[in-house]
Structure formats: structure tokens, C-alpha cells
């Protein structure tokens, strides 16, 4: 741990020195996802638009809107403003009053949306055009600054092979329509972005990387969910590097590889925004007393936590709650650091969590600056200690640290 801290300090000071030479540096993007279901978490977990600190990010992406019959639509009952109530869309967009440079985009899709509606929309030029036209008017009337395509994923999960090529056509059509509309109405052009997979197998099936990179303003690499309860073995949610013992496809599941993969296939690194997760994926260990390192046997997901209430998934503030909060039972608790992968994990009784903290994020941000990437994206605002109640480091300790490291 000490050796590591010294190395990190050296790395960071080198970074500070070199960045002060290149006066100003690039205009890094800091993309924050807002989730419209965070409002349903109980008590201190409840997340509303007013909980966002609008100075943390350059862009907020509102997740998720939905696609239905080639139309972009609101998903939640209270997204839209009604005569008797200001909707969540407007409450997020209102943050621009506090940060006029802020851009707010709407994301369409998401994991649970699947690929069915996407497939139907992509299926014909007429359907794609219908979506494009309607999306522009939907976004403009609600004062969004752009659209983020979160279809997970073309060519996988029931989506046809051809959807890879049709997705390119969709990006092209949207971009051209956005350019024309902006010129005609003398407005700032709507932004077009996508959230994309970091798994090499999925990337091959889903994207014509070089082509979509030409049409998209930036690309949000979802460089997390590499490992989770579905693996039946402990593994980190978002390792920066591989472990030496990993073989074959498993060894490709690291952030560094995913980003280089996008580069090799023709995505300019400056357009690639590196996704960072401020949450953990958790497991229940099979032999907690003996095997609790990486690649230990598990029996399913970790227990649902108090606020996120989902098996196998906990917010960073819930990790803090375990680390610093009151503990009733005399359960064993220990934080470990994986040197190879540059990430921490927490073992609490028979529960195992791979998460990110200031240290692992420092490594990732250092690495992304060195690689010339366009900035970071974070999933998601509601997963950091947004109230500053659990980690003893003020509000948004992780995102604040990510900013400090990126902009220093
Ligand atoms: C176009 O979209 C409609 C509405 O979703 C769908 O019923 C139809 O099958 C799509 N067209 C094609 C060619 O798949
Ligand atoms: C995990 O275990 C389940 C149930 O035993 C099994 O169906 C599944 O294939 C396993 N997954 C992997 C990735 O080994
Ligand atoms: C990530 O995975 C790839 C593929 O296995 C491997 O070649 C690479 O060394 C890993 N990345 C790093 C920097 O460890």
C-alpha cells in the first residue's frame, strides 16, 4: 500500500509538471449520467434533480427516454412538465441557470429496454427517418441539447446481424438532419453521442467503429460491468488492467484493452470518453473463510443493500456505509488492493464487492490523460456520496476527485 502510494504520488507529480507545460491542455469532457429512477430509492438514497451539483460536469445525460414505434418518448410518469407540475426533464434542464455552459442530453435505450424496438426502427430507411424527424422536434420542444444513443446492443441480444450497418446509417441520418435543422433555424446544432460496449465480442458485432466515430460528437465507453455475479467467480467491475493469470477472452476484459480496441478500429481517442463507475458489483462467497481474493468461487450475487435494493449492485456511498458506518454484527471487514488491476475490493463477511475509490480513479484518470482520451464519463450521479453523509469527505467525493485529477 505504501509503495503504491509513493508510485502514485510520483506519477501524479509528473502529470502535474507535464500538463503545466502544455498550457491549458485539451478541453476535457466530463459527462455525468442522471437516472430517472433514482427518485424511487428510500430515504437518503432518494435522488432528485436538485441533488445534482451542476458545476461537476460539462454535460449531463438524462437516462432514459424510450423508443416506441419509431418515436422518442418519456419513460417515467413525471419526466414531462404538466400544468400542475414541473417535470423531471425541466428540473434537470433548469440546472443550466447555475451553470450556463452545461449541456443536457437525453439518452434513449438502456440495458432493460432490450433491442426489439431498436430493431424495428433500424429496419427500414423510412423508419429511421421517421425517428430522426420526431426526435428533433421532441428534443427541441423540451430544450435538450442533444441525443445519446444507448441501444444495448446492435447485433446482440436478439438484434439482427445487419443492425450493425443500419446503426451506422442511423448515426449518419441523425447527424445530417441535426446539421440541416441547425442551419435552417439558426440554432446551435443538437449533439449526437452514443454509449457503447467495452466488451470486444460485442463491439465486433455492434459497430462500424470508424464510420460511427465520424458522425458522433463523442462516444461514451461503458468501461464497467466487466465482471459481476453472472460469472460465478469474483472479479472486479472495472479493472484498469488484466491479471496475469487471466487467460483467453477473460484477459480482454479490462479498461485499457477496451479503449485501445476502439482506437485500433478507428475511433480518434479525443472522441472517446472513458466511462468510470462509482458503484460496485457484488457477490456472495462460497468459502468466505478461505477464498476471498480475485477469482474465488461464489454462490450468486451479494445481498441487496439498504438504498439501492438490488442484488449484486451497490452504490459507492453504501460501500462507505460499510467501511465507516456502525456495524452491529461482528462480521469480518477488510479492504484489499489488487496491484495488477489497480482496483480495490471489499470483503464483508461472505459478501465481496469490486468497487472504485479515489485511488483507483486516480490511476484511471492519469491513464486516460496519458492516452489522449477526451475525458471521463461517470455512471452515475446518484451512486457517489451525493449528500456527503457516508464517506466523511463532503458531497460527491469521487466525482470531485475525478475533476481535481483531470483538471490539475
Ligand atoms: C417500421 O416500424 C413499424 C413500427 O414500429 C414496424 O411495425 C415495422 O415493422 C417497421 N418496418 C420494418 C420494415 O420493419
Ligand atoms: C453460473 O452458474 C449457473 C448455475 O449453476 C450456470 O447456469 C451458469 O452457466 C454459470 N455461469 C458461468 C459463466 O459459468
Ligand atoms: C488487457 O487485456 C489485453 C488482452 O488480454 C492484454 O493484452 C493487455 O495486456 C491488458 N491490458 C493491460 C495494460 O494490462
Amino acid at each position: 500500500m505504501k509503495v503504491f502510494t509513493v508510485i502514485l504520488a510520483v506519477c501524479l507529480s509528473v502529470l502535474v509538471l507535464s500538463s503545466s507545460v502544455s498550457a491549458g491542455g485539451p478541453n476535457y469532457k466530463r459527462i455525468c449520467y442522471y437516472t430517472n429512477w433514482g427518485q424511487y430509492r428510500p430515504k437518503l438514497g432518494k435522488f432528485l434533480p436538485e441533488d445534482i451539483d451542476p458545476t461537476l460536469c460539462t454535460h449531463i445525460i438524462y437516462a432514459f427516454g424510450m423508443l416506441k414505434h419509431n418515436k422518442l418518448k418519456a419513460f417515467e410518469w413525471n419526466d414531462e412538465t404538466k400544468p400542475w407540475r414541473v417535470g423531471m426533464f425541466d428540473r434537470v434542464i433548469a440546472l443550466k441557470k447555475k451553470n450556463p455552459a452545461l449541456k443536457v442530453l437525453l439518452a434513449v435505450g438502456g440495458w432493460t429496454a432490450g433491442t426489439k424496438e431498436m430493431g424495428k426502427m433500424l429496419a427500414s430507411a423510412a423508419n429511421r427517418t421517421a425517428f430522426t424527424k420526431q426526435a428533433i422536434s421532441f428534443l427541441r420542444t423540451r430544450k435538450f441539447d442533444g441525443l445519446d444513443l444507448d441501444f444495448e446492443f446492435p447485433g446482440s441480444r436478439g438484434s439482427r446481424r445487419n443492425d450493425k450497418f443500419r446503426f451506422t446509417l442511423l448515426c449518419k441520418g441523425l447527424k445530417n438532419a441535426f446539421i440541416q435543422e441547425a442551419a435552417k433555424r439558426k440554432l446551435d446544432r443538437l449533439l449526437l453521442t452514443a454509449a457503447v460496449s467495452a466488451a470486444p465480442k460485442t463491439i465486433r458485432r455492434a459497430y462500424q467503429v470508424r464510420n460511427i466515430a465520424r458522425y458522433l460528437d463523442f462516444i461514451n465507453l461503458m468501461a464497467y460491468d466487466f465482471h459481476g455475479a453472472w460469472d460465478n467467480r469474483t472479479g472486479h467491475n472495472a479493472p484498469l488492467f488484466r491479471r496475469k493469470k487471466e487467460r483467453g477472452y477473460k484477459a480482454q476484459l479490462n479498461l485499457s484493452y477496451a479503449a485501445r480496441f476502439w482506437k485500433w478500429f478507428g475511433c480518434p481517442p479525443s472522441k472517446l470518453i472513458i466511462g468510470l463507475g462509482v458503484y460496485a458489483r457484488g457477490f456472495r462467497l462460497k468459502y468466505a473463510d478461505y477464498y476471498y481474493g480475485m477469482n474465488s468461487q461464489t454462490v450468486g450475487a451479494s445481498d441487496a443493500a439498504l438504498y439501492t435494493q438490488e442484488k449484486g449492485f451497490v452504490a459507492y456511498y453504501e460501500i462507505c456505509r460499510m467501511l465507516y458506518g456502525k456495524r452491529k454484527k461482528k462480521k469480518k471487514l477488510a479492504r484489499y488492493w489488487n496491484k495488477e488491476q489497480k482496483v480495490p475490493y471489499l470483503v464483508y463477511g461472505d459478501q465481496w464487492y469490486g468497487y472504485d475509490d479515489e485511488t483507483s480513479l486516480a490511476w484511471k484518470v492519469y491513464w486516460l490523460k496519458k492516452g489522449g482520451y477526451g475525458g471521463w464519463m461517470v455512471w452515475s450521479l446518484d451512486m457517489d456520496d451525493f449528500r456527503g453523509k457516508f464517506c466523511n469527505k463532503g458531497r460527491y467525493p469521487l466525482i470531485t476527485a475525478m475533476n481535481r485529477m483531470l483538471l490539475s
Side-chain angles (χ1 to χ4, degrees):
M1 196 46 219
K2 264 191 194 138
V3 175
F4 162 74
T5 314
V6 171
I7 295 171
L8 182 67
V10 171
C11 291
L12 291 177
S13 49
V14 168
L15 187 73
V16 169
L17 288 175
S18 59
S19 65
S20 59
V21 175
S22 63
N27 279 321
Y28 286 118
K29 295 196 171 62
R30 294 171 283 130
I31 318 283
C32 302
Y33 275 91
Y34 164 81
T35 61
N36 57 359
W37 59 95
Q39 59 175 318
Y40 300 124
R41 296 203 184 97
K43 299 186 178 133
L44 294 175
K46 186 184 175 87
F47 191 89
L48 298 173
E50 292 72 27
D51 293 313
I52 300 173
D53 174 348
T55 63
L56 291 174
C57 336
T58 56
H59 300 68
I60 291 176
I61 303 187
Y62 192 109
F64 286 111
M66 84 178 162
L67 174 66
K68 189 92 189 173
H69 302 312
N70 309 322
K71 287 192 168 73
L72 184 56
K73 288 190 159 177
F75 186 92
E76 289 295 341
W77 63 280
N78 60 356
D79 283 335
E80 300 271 26
T81 292
K82 292 280 154 63
W84 58 90
R85 174 199 72 222
V86 180
M88 296 294 187
F89 283 163
D90 280 335
R91 285 166 67 176
V92 172
I93 290 168
L95 297 166
K96 289 166 75 164
K97 284 182 206 145
K98 288 187 203 153
N99 175 9
L102 185 69
K103 302 279 180 208
V104 183
L105 290 79
L106 180 62
V108 58
W111 178 261
T112 45
T115 60
K116 210 166 149 204
E117 286 295 326
M118 173 198 76
K120 286 195 278 177
M121 183 268 286
L122 291 178
S124 69
N127 278 4
R128 292 192 298 268
T129 309
F131 171 70
T132 301
K133 276 196 180 151
Q134 185 268 347
I136 292 175
S137 87
F138 186 95
L139 296 166
R140 286 299 194 197
T141 50
R142 288 156 187 82
K143 299 201 161 59
F144 280 105
D145 298 302
L147 180 66
D148 182 52
L149 304 170
D150 274 26
F151 299 125
E152 301 185 21
F153 296 98
S156 297
R157 303 179 71 212
S159 154
R160 277 157 300 186
R161 200 175 261 259
N162 268 347
D163 285 350
K164 169 175 177 172
F165 307 102
R166 292 169 175 158
F167 182 70
T168 307
L169 295 174
L170 176 73
C171 293
K172 183 178 179 182
L174 279 165
K175 183 63 171 288
N176 288 337
F178 285 5
I179 292 171
Q180 281 173 16
E181 188 257 3
K184 202 163 133 197
R185 299 186 54 200
K186 299 197 167 53
L187 295 170
D188 284 345
R189 175 172 64 73
L190 289 166
L191 295 171
L192 182 65
T193 67
V196 299
S197 171
K201 273 184 195 164
T202 310
I203 299 168
R204 284 179 202 277
R205 282 199 290 251
Y207 316 109
Q208 292 181 286
V209 171
R210 191 181 300 278
N211 294 330
I212 63 168
R214 193 180 311 151
Y215 304 122
L216 298 168
D217 289 301
F218 53 87
I219 294 174
N220 298 313
L221 180 64
M222 296 190 279
Y224 35 69
D225 297 339
F226 283 110
H227 298 286
W230 54 86
D231 287 332
N232 301 343
R233 292 231 169 214
T234 56
H236 197 277
N237 179 45
L240 177 52
F241 302 125
R242 73 183 280 199
R243 287 183 300 114
K244 283 228 174 58
K245 281 189 184 151
E246 284 176 324
R247 290 283 172 267
Y249 186 66
K250 272 207 161 179
Q252 296 184 357
L253 299 178
N254 64 63
L255 162 52
S256 145
Y257 187 74
R260 277 189 291 153
F261 200 80
W262 274 88
K263 258 203 286 199
W264 288 329
F265 278 79
C267 178
S270 60
K271 273 200 177 180
L272 199 61
I273 311 298
I274 304 300
L276 306 173
V278 290
Y279 64 90
R281 290 263 169 211
F283 306 76
R284 177 188 295 278
L285 291 165
K286 192 164 180 187
Y287 307 108
D289 292 335
Y290 308 104
Y291 301 105
Y292 44 80
M294 291 282 180
N295 206 35
S296 297
Q297 285 189 55
T298 60
V299 276
S302 59
D303 298 337
L306 184 60
Y307 299 108
T308 44
Q309 303 186 315
E310 190 182 327
K311 283 186 157 205
F313 177 92
V314 306
Y316 175 64
Y317 63 81
E318 289 172 318
I319 293 285
C320 283
R321 195 167 165 262
M322 294 180 225
L323 280 169
Y324 312 118
K326 276 183 219 141
R327 266 175 270 144
K328 278 185 194 147
K329 292 174 211 152
K330 280 192 179 163
K331 269 197 285 184
K332 201 173 69 181
L333 177 129
R335 173 198 185 269
Y336 298 91
W337 176 259
N338 184 285
K339 272 191 239 163
E340 288 181 295
Q341 301 194 294
K342 309 283 183 262
V343 282
Y345 60 96
L346 184 71
V347 182
Y348 188 22
D350 65 353
Q351 308 280 301
W352 193 104
Y353 305 95
Y355 66 106
D356 273 281
D357 62 7
E358 281 93 342
T359 317
S360 64
L361 292 168
W363 276 98
K364 288 177 181 176
V365 173
Y366 167 68
W367 167 89
L368 83 84
K369 290 175 84 164
K370 211 167 114 246
Y373 296 104
W376 53 248
M377 169 272 269
V378 66
W379 185 272
S380 54
L381 287 162
D382 51 325
M383 295 289 103
D384 199 352
D385 187 15
F386 62 92
R387 292 184 201 279
K389 291 253 196 248
F390 297 100
C391 306
N392 312 319
K393 285 179 190 149
R395 294 182 68 204
Y396 288 104
L398 294 187
I399 301 177
T400 305
M402 283 154 55
N403 270 336
R404 200 169 49 234
M405 295 161 201
L406 190 71
L407 305 174
S408 67

